[in-house]
Amino acid sequence: MPASSRTRSASRAQGVAPHGVVRARGVAPHGVVRAPGVVRVRGVALAAAAVAALTVLPLLVVLADAISAGGAGAAEYLLRPRVAELLGHTGMLVAVTVPATVVVGTLAAWLVERTDLPWAGLWRALLLAPLAVPAFVSAYAWATVAPWLTGFAGAALVTTLAYYPFVFLPVAAMLRALDPADEEVARSLGLSPAAVVARTVLPRLRPALSGGALLVALHLLAEYGVLEMMRFQTFTTAIMQRYAVGFSDSSGSLLASVLLALCLLTLTLEVAAQGRRRVARVGSGAQHPAPQLPLGVWKAPAALVLTAVVGLSLVVPVATVTRWLVSAVADGEVGGDLLRVTSNTLVLALLGGVAAVVAALPGAWLLNRHRSALTLLLERATYLASALPGVVVGLALVTLAVNWARPVYQTVWLAVLAYAILFLPRAMVSLRAGLAAAPPELSEAARSLGLRGPATLARVVLPLMGPSVLTGFVLVALAISTELTATLLLAPTGTDTLALAFWRETGELDYAAAAPYAAAMIVLSVPLTMLLRRHLLEER
Amino acid sequence: MPLNRRPLLGALLALPLALTACAGGGDGEQPFEAEAGALQIYSSQHRNVTQAWAEEFTRSTGIETQIREGQDSSMGHMIVEEGESSPADVFLTENSPAMTVVERAGLLAPVAEETRGQLREGTAPSSGLWTAIAARSTVLVYNTDLISEEELPASLMDLADPEWAGRWGAAPGGADFQAIVAGMLADRGEAETRTWLEALAENAEVYQNNIATMKAVSAGEVPVGIMYHYYWYRDQAGEKESSASTALHYFGNQDPGAFVSLSAGGVLASSDMSDEAQQFLAYVTGPEGQKVLVDSGSMEYAVGAGVESDPALPPLDELEAPPVDPFTLNSDEVLTLMTDAGIL
């Protein structure tokens, strides 16, 4: 494998900034090196604040609507057994699925990256592939294959299988990037293998684990399609139901406000779980691949576990969609509008992906370089809207656009804004990981050598961040290509997308007619998923 | 590696543009722009029906149309949010409550007299602000392996009895079901409806929608379920994946379980093409439009006077629906009752 851009730039920079190596050994606190340009920081802070303000706008509409219920009415509505039941369901799902994705994702990443399991490359590709299968397509497949599998068990199973790549991806990338030298040092100092892992590897994995877990938790709070098909009611399905009732009372907003509170709780827990240790190091040193742990007799069971994960998360949906597709082709039901619908989906995904990455940049940069209570608050604010169902954000944006931004109403730009707001966390998580890999010392060194700000960005920071920018883009684009309810409300009249068409056909019980759209969503996502794999897991 | 990765990425990014170009050339549609001068139809009716209506209408009148799709609920809300400046000219729904939302916001224009004259009796509201465009009947779907016809309940109200505990399914969260409850409330009064809803919260298996209910009955999870008729006929006409071991039971006898719900059509008062909009509604409810509905395979009932529905369906007149005026249904109270019972 040829040297990647990361390794090359890093070693190039190492030559000019030897002092960086000293500080790089892991624990230097953030912000020790202050950037000289205060103005520049202000500019970025302003941009980050603007992004945060934009994402908070729909929340304000929701909260204002909830407040209109009045204190007594709100209390009476929220203090019902039904709300407690929904809270229990939502909490139960998060409490089971998040740990399950962490266990499955981490175990799979460890087996693939750190053991002598054969065909690691193939496993890596297969384990990431479920990212290409929309969660609700997977749920539909399960509803067909195992109709008895509903309620909590079905919901937990399908969400775990659909979301574990969110943990697998960052953990595997981190395991690859970690310098085993620390582990060797720890071992040479007499630590047991378990203690080595616990004291050198796990702390470094914390950001990847907590970031992945955060994405999973936020997705669970906002998940609708899977839970609807598995008939497991959570706050989000109840909110959708409330909107479906068709009356403009504030109870939908009241429920959405509870969801916001749950999201705040999740975000606070994640700050605690993330830890403050620095992960970046400067220079590749004498980096070499970590030794692969021989599995011995465990090889067969390990392969069996991964086979089960891949089989359940990938083979079941793909086989089911294929079955539908065959019957659709036999019936001549593959419609001529498939191409148009696919291109609509691609354009929206492309625009939304770029918008989300651009919007995430200032916040991610600030958080990495000038971490403070304020920047943390700005960042967390951008996560809030993503835990709301798309329909809530969508209706809030309709209200805002109709009243204050009429020209963008029913243009593609309002949909793009909604996507940026809803999927900002995906871009944020990736960009932060990327910035962590581009330590500030390198920029300092570049500046000390006479490069100006933009040139530093172009020649030092961006090459190091490239993969993570692309990762963020791909993750957002994948999410957009399967978004339902916000698209329905905000996309310009006459715009049809694959997700909408799939959902419509399954709603009409026409499995065969739905199949081409499901297949197109999967086919569309495959190259994006491959791109992710190449960028994150084959960089050495 | 970075070098040979670029062509792939480039190809990926170029793909949408290429596809858009092909698609744009194909049928001349502009996917991301509302067409100026086209009649804007906001619709939550079944897509194939709305499209067939719009195409036939354009063919016979030359008036261009553009359809904005949505779901009853969010679409009704959206029109209210848009208010006077709504681009919508016509609104078509699946269930009438979504239309009521718009009606209450004062956004509807009166429907032309001749249009209302084309409909069956009782399918245009006394307010004159909207009309029915299609109808669907409440039915009991039952698993023929689990229960015999003689064991079925005589009335929807019987499902509140303890003997039915855990043995029936329904989708009370949906607008469909709430229309049924509104019918029950109008027919049987508050006390009886409240008791029935409390029994539902206690005894019924709750499903997300009619299809899920039907699937569960077919899979034997519960012997019977409450739903609308057309899902069953469509599934039977297709692959029977969700209804293989089921049959339908019509309560008849003016029972609350024989309730017939209406899909609605209205013209927006803010429309800048109100003549064309009225023409469209007249077409949809007229003999030609109703025939399009019947031929679409949606299996909904036609509501035009003298128009026969699909021959597979029992005739609408023979369903013995309860004598409920669908326009006096108190949906707000239904919501309160359902919330009190802990269903919503």
Side-chain angles (χ1 to χ4, degrees):
Chain A
M1 188 77 44
S4 72
S5 58
R6 171 195 296 179
T7 319
R8 271 190 286 112
S9 333
S11 41
R12 191 169 61 220
Q14 190 195 0
V16 295
H19 68 280
V21 177
V22 180
R23 200 174 285 126
R25 283 294 160 194
V27 287
H30 282 274
V32 168
V33 184
R34 288 279 173 207
V38 177
V39 179
R40 184 164 51 90
V41 176
R42 282 224 184 105
V44 179
L46 220 58
V51 170
L54 217 51
T55 58
V56 168
L57 271 182
L59 307 183
L60 294 182
V61 174
V62 171
L63 289 176
D65 193 23
I67 287 168
S68 74
E76 193 194 338
Y77 183 73
L78 291 178
L79 295 174
R80 294 181 305 138
R82 169 74 176 161
V83 173
E85 185 192 1
L86 293 173
L87 208 54
H89 279 193
T90 309
M92 212 156 81
L93 188 64
V94 172
V96 168
T97 297
V98 172
T101 54
V102 165
V103 169
V104 173
T106 311
L107 181 71
W110 182 75
L111 283 174
V112 167
E113 299 299 335
R114 289 296 177 94
T115 70
D116 63 346
L117 193 75
W119 308 308
L122 179 70
W123 284 121
R124 211 173 283 138
L126 289 174
L127 286 163
L128 263 183
L131 269 184
V133 181
F136 55 68
V137 169
S138 177
Y140 203 71
W142 280 98
T144 312
V145 172
W148 40 267
L149 188 71
T150 54
F152 176 64
L157 179 77
V158 174
T159 50
T160 301
L161 292 173
Y163 294 160
Y164 82 81
F166 288 132
V167 177
F168 173 79
L169 191 62
V171 171
M174 197 63 103
L175 280 174
R176 282 179 86 76
L178 276 187
D179 189 342
D182 292 346
E183 292 158 61
E184 282 152 20
V185 170
R187 222 172 343 227
S188 74
L189 291 173
L191 287 188
S192 69
V196 169
V197 171
R199 293 181 55 183
T200 71
V201 180
L202 280 183
R204 306 280 192 92
L205 285 183
R206 263 173 83 169
L209 277 174
S210 69
L214 176 66
L215 274 187
V216 173
L218 293 179
H219 267 77
L220 285 174
L221 290 182
E223 179 62 62
Y224 168 67
V226 171
L227 303 178
E228 161 109 19
M229 281 177 181
M230 289 287 140
R231 65 186 203 86
F232 183 68
Q233 301 197 319
T234 63
F235 260 99
T236 292
T237 63
I239 290 167
M240 298 294 284
Q241 232 173 53
R242 206 69 211 187
Y243 279 102
V245 168
F247 300 100
S248 295
D249 64 7
S250 51
S251 20
S253 297
L254 275 175
L255 289 179
S257 305
V258 177
L259 203 55
L260 278 180
L262 288 179
C263 177
L264 274 176
L265 182 72
T266 310
L267 290 170
T268 316
L269 288 176
E270 201 262 343
V271 172
Q274 194 180 323
R276 298 193 127 232
R277 282 202 215 192
R278 182 182 140 134
V279 192
R281 61 193 297 274
V282 174
S284 57
Q287 194 165 356
H288 57 93
Q292 298 196 318
L293 188 82
L295 283 173
V297 293
W298 290 100
K299 209 172 262 181
L304 211 63
V305 167
L306 293 191
T307 307
V309 170
V310 170
L312 296 177
S313 62
L314 191 64
V315 178
V316 167
V318 170
T320 311
V321 168
T322 309
R323 197 193 106 201
W324 295 337
L325 194 61
V326 168
S327 103
V329 172
D331 298 353
E333 279 196 52
V334 181
D337 72 339
L338 188 61
L339 192 66
R340 182 178 55 86
V341 175
T342 306
S343 79
N344 285 349
T345 308
L346 269 168
V347 171
L348 288 174
L350 185 74
L351 294 174
V354 170
V357 168
V358 170
L361 260 175
W365 187 86
L366 270 187
L367 210 69
N368 197 263
R369 299 292 198 264
H370 298 272
R371 194 183 169 102
S372 68
L374 186 69
T375 55
L376 197 65
L377 192 71
L378 283 181
E379 185 235 8
R380 298 281 119 173
T382 58
Y383 281 56
L384 281 173
S386 72
L388 286 180
V391 69
V392 176
V393 172
L395 272 175
L397 285 178
V398 169
T399 309
L400 289 169
V402 164
N403 290 311
W404 286 290
R406 189 70 207 176
V408 297
Y409 185 56
Q410 288 199 4
T411 66
V412 71
W413 303 113
L414 195 62
V416 168
L417 175 67
Y419 294 143
I421 289 174
L422 284 169
F423 302 125
L424 205 54
R426 289 189 176 212
M428 201 72 140
V429 165
S430 313
L431 288 185
R432 288 188 55 195
L435 278 166
E441 289 82 358
L442 292 183
S443 310
E444 293 307 316
R447 263 193 296 277
S448 75
L449 290 172
L451 278 189
R452 302 174 65 91
T456 312
L457 189 72
R459 291 182 53 188
V460 179
V461 180
L462 283 184
L464 287 172
M465 283 190 68
S468 70
V469 168
L470 205 58
T471 306
F473 167 78
V474 168
L475 283 174
V476 175
L478 283 172
I480 292 172
S481 57
T482 61
E483 209 284 335
L484 280 172
T485 50
T487 308
L488 201 51
L489 286 174
L490 299 174
T493 298
T495 307
D496 206 1
T497 68
L498 291 171
L500 295 180
F502 172 79
W503 197 254
R504 182 174 57 235
E505 299 298 347
T506 55
E508 306 240 329
L509 282 184
D510 201 339
Y511 304 173
Y517 302 110
M521 275 188 275
I522 294 174
V523 168
L524 203 64
S525 310
V526 165
L528 292 180
T529 311
M530 274 165 50
L531 210 63
L532 274 186
R533 182 175 63 88
R534 292 182 67 168
H535 269 281
L536 284 172
L537 302 181
E538 289 185 359
E539 285 267 325
R540 269 324 259 267
Chain B
M1 200 64 127
L3 285 179
N4 64 18
R5 197 158 46 226
R6 272 186 194 130
L8 172 64
L9 181 61
L12 272 176
L13 297 183
L15 193 59
L17 300 174
L19 274 173
T20 317
C22 316
D27 48 15
E29 262 188 74
Q30 297 285 326
F32 297 118
E33 262 175 63
E35 288 166 32
L39 188 71
Q40 298 291 313
I41 302 165
Y42 277 33
S43 170
S44 47
Q45 246 297 332
H46 303 290
R47 173 192 170 88
N48 57 341
V49 181
T50 312
Q51 265 184 347
W53 273 333
E55 279 165 21
E56 283 301 315
F57 177 69
T58 303
R59 193 165 320 177
S60 64
T61 62
I63 299 167
E64 293 293 325
T65 57
Q66 199 174 17
I67 302 167
R68 182 170 185 88
E69 283 183 76
Q71 287 151 352
D72 263 8
S73 52
S74 41
M75 195 132 238
H77 280 300
M78 190 166 79
I79 293 177
V80 172
E81 294 291 345
E82 289 174 349
E84 294 292 319
S85 57
S86 175
D89 299 305
V90 176
F91 182 30
L92 305 180
T93 71
E94 265 199 295
N95 287 281
S96 53
M99 188 62 80
T100 318
V101 171
V102 180
E103 185 181 17
R104 282 188 203 173
L107 297 173
L108 294 179
V111 175
E113 196 76 41
E114 304 94 86
T115 303
R116 283 188 279 156
Q118 302 188 107
L119 289 153
R120 281 164 189 254
E121 214 168 306
T123 55
S126 45
S127 69
L129 289 172
W130 51 274
T131 73
I133 54 173
R136 58 272 302 274
S137 170
T138 312
V139 291
L140 187 80
V141 58
Y142 65 99
N143 185 309
T144 47
D145 300 334
L146 293 181
I147 195 165
S148 71
E149 221 175 323
E150 297 77 50
E151 295 169 287
L152 295 176
S155 163
L156 181 62
M157 308 311 287
D158 293 349
L159 292 177
D161 294 345
E163 60 165 311
W164 286 100
R167 295 179 60 217
W168 60 294
D176 285 359
F177 191 85
Q178 283 146 22
I180 300 174
V181 178
M184 180 187 294
L185 179 66
D187 192 39
R188 298 296 177 101
E190 194 205 308
E192 218 175 319
T193 305
R194 187 182 286 275
T195 313
W196 192 82
L197 285 173
E198 279 161 7
L200 181 147
E202 187 74 20
N203 291 342
E205 292 293 320
V206 169
Y207 296 94
Q208 296 285 0
N209 56 34
N210 284 309
I211 297 165
T213 307
M214 179 167 74
K215 279 179 94 129
V217 172
S218 187
E221 279 178 48
V222 281
V224 306
I226 300 294
M227 57 181 248
Y228 281 154
H229 76 281
Y230 62 93
Y231 295 101
W232 189 85
Y233 288 98
R234 285 223 299 262
D235 198 54
Q236 288 283 315
E239 318 221 336
K240 302 187 189 181
E241 287 217 31
S242 310
S243 67
S245 34
T246 63
L248 291 190
H249 170 61
Y250 287 83
F251 286 104
N253 204 21
Q254 306 195 335
D255 189 76
F259 174 76
V260 170
S261 176
L262 301 177
S263 303
V267 171
L268 277 296
S270 59
S271 169
D272 52 4
M273 296 178 73
S274 52
D275 286 348
E276 292 86 347
Q278 292 286 357
Q279 266 187 60
F280 181 74
L281 200 55
Y283 163 77
V284 163
T285 51
E288 286 170 53
Q290 290 292 296
K291 188 169 182 306
V292 167
L293 170 76
V294 173
D295 293 344
S296 71
S298 78
M299 295 291 183
E300 290 169 280
Y301 281 105
V303 290
V307 181
E308 297 291 327
S309 301
D310 191 291
L313 305 176
L316 190 55
D317 301 329
E318 293 170 22
L319 295 182
E320 299 173 42
V324 176
D325 177 356
F327 314 108
T328 60
L329 298 180
N330 191 338
S331 308
D332 272 345
E333 199 180 337
V334 168
L335 206 57
T336 311
L337 287 175
M338 291 182 76
T339 305
D340 286 351
I343 295 163
L344 289 178

